[in-house]
Structure formats: structure tokens, C-alpha cells
Amino acid sequence: MRKLFFLVAVATAVAIPLSAETRLNVAIDFAHAATSGYGFSESLGWRGFEGEIESLSHYKWVPDFAVGIRREDRAIYHGTFIFARFSKKATTWHKVDIRPSLGIYYGLPSMRFTRTKWNDDRTAYVRIFLSHNITIPFREYHSGVLYPKVAVELRKNWKRFNFGLEPGVQILRFGIVRSNGDGTSDFQTKTVLAPVIGLRIGFRP
């Protein structure tokens, strides 16, 4: 975790002095993931809201950089992430900028990702959950999630404003545990590519 924050801090320190302009953006997106194991399949859908500060570089070899906060739940803590996003305009098509991006998200996931199926007499179950792979300060060990998101934003600039449609993929890792009811259990993990479609709007202060 310390290495992650160090890299983000270095990227911020480099990107801000080299930025040509700053933009304030908000976004909403909708994601879907499906996974299965041990005879239990589950389909999950959720939405997220983001607010970010974006620094656009005037150097071709320096990526544009954004940092922000993401919310996916009404709970105070669960479903809250901080993120860093790197992007760059690849080309322009009919006055629309095509901008590939890579985002790194770190936070405490929503409880909606945990689903359980019991047998008829409730002595055994199969549980699907989002794998926790990193520690959150002041929380239990490995209580958080760190995951990447790959996307391509189709951005239209108009005066001081920008509007973008952003299809992408969140790369998530799910755990699946089966309790056999006799004190034994089985466990497996699966990497899931969760498609996401979002809308981002912003302006130049």
C-alpha cells in the first residue's frame, strides 16, 4: 500500500508542474459482473459516482493525470474508493477525442458483492465474494480492494466544458467458498472482466 501511495504521489508531483490546464470532472457509470462456482452462479450490477481533478499535459510524452474519489454505496464507509487515472489523447475523430486510460482504484468495497446460497436444510452453503487483497488503515488486515480499470473515453470539448462517453472494463477478482456442512470446505478464485459504461462531464476553471 505504501508503494502505491508513493507512486501516486510521485506521479502527481510530476504531472501538476507539467500540466497545461486543470479540469474538474464528475462521472457516473454502470457496471456488471457475472461469476459462478460449485454450482452457484451470480450476476451483479452496480453504479458508481466519481469526482476528480484532472491535469492535462502539453507534453506528448507525459500522460494526463487525474485523482479523485469514487462512491458505490449509501453506507458511510463501504463502497468508498480513491483512485488515480492516467490517460492520453490518441487521436481525434470528427472533433471527438479518443482517450485510452488506465485507472487504479483502492478502497473498501460495498457489501453487495457478497452473495450466499444455502442448501435446503441450511447446513452447507456456497458463498461468492469480492476478494480483499489489500489493507485499509484502521481496518482489519486485507479488508480492502485494489483493482485496475481499462477504458476508452470519447470526449467532446465545447468552450470551457467537456463531455465524455467512456466504455471500459474493471478487472475484479472473486473468491468462491463452499462449506460442505461437515467441517470441511473448498475454495477457488476467479478473475472477472466486468464491463462498465460511464458518462463524464467537466469544465476548465
Side-chain angles (χ1 to χ4, degrees), residues 117-167:
K117 179 183 179 182
W118 292 86
N119 64 352
D120 292 338
D121 56 5
R122 299 187 69 82
T123 59
Y125 64 84
V126 176
R127 178 169 295 157
I128 295 176
F129 57 93
L130 190 61
S131 293
H132 295 186
N133 57 6
I134 196 168
T135 300
I136 299 289
F138 310 110
R139 306 286 296 190
E140 296 178 358
Y141 179 72
H142 275 194
S143 57
V145 170
L146 179 70
Y147 71 87
K149 173 186 173 183
V150 180
V152 176
E153 181 184 8
L154 308 178
R155 177 178 292 191
K156 174 68 174 179
N157 296 306
W158 179 71
K159 296 184 179 180
R160 299 170 64 90
F161 301 94
N162 54 275
F163 308 88
L165 180 67
E166 187 179 67

Side-chain angles (χ1 to χ4, degrees), residues 89-93 95-99 153-157:
K89 182 175 74 172
T91 187
T92 300
W93 180 74
K95 298 183 180 181
V96 175
D97 294 343
I98 299 177
R99 302 175 57 85
E153 181 184 8
L154 308 178
R155 177 178 292 191
K156 174 68 174 179
N157 296 306

Side-chain angles (χ1 to χ4, degrees), residues 9-187:
V10 170
T12 304
V14 172
I16 291 178
L18 297 176
S19 62
E21 63 180 63
T22 299
R23 290 186 175 270
L24 303 179
N25 301 322
V26 294
I28 181 174
D29 60 49
F30 301 88
H32 177 268
T35 187
S36 61
Y38 303 118
F40 179 35
S41 61
E42 190 65 45
S43 180
L44 306 168
W46 66 97
R47 65 184 176 185
F49 300 92
E50 296 180 359
E52 66 177 24
I53 300 174
E54 183 181 35
S55 295
L56 303 180
S57 173
H58 58 281
Y59 292 100
K60 292 183 178 180
W61 49 271
V62 177
D64 300 331
F65 179 74
V67 292
I69 297 177
R70 177 179 176 85
R71 289 282 293 155
E72 295 180 350
D73 204 311
R74 295 180 180 178
I76 297 178
Y77 300 110
H78 290 91
T80 301
F81 296 82
I82 59 175
F83 67 88
R85 184 171 59 83
F86 302 89
S87 63
K88 198 67 176 176
K89 182 175 74 172
T91 187
T92 300
W93 180 74
H94 289 275
K95 298 183 180 181
V96 175
D97 294 343
I98 299 177
R99 302 175 57 85
S101 68
L102 171 65
I104 304 296
Y105 291 76
Y106 164 77
L108 191 64
S110 169
M111 296 299 294
R112 75 176 74 235
F113 292 102
T114 300
R115 304 293 176 89
T116 304
K117 179 183 179 182
W118 292 86
N119 64 352
D120 292 338
D121 56 5
R122 299 187 69 82
T123 59
Y125 64 84
V126 176
R127 178 169 295 157
I128 295 176
F129 57 93
L130 190 61
S131 293
H132 295 186
N133 57 6
I134 196 168
T135 300
I136 299 289
F138 310 110
R139 306 286 296 190
E140 296 178 358
Y141 179 72
H142 275 194
S143 57
V145 170
L146 179 70
Y147 71 87
K149 173 186 173 183
V150 180
V152 176
E153 181 184 8
L154 308 178
R155 177 178 292 191
K156 174 68 174 179
N157 296 306
W158 179 71
K159 296 184 179 180
R160 299 170 64 90
F161 301 94
N162 54 275
F163 308 88
L165 180 67
E166 187 179 67
V169 174
Q170 295 178 359
I171 305 175
L172 306 174
R173 193 165 183 82
F174 283 85
I176 306 166
V177 60
R178 177 175 64 184
S179 174
N180 300 313
D182 57 0
T184 64
S185 61
D186 302 293
F187 178 75

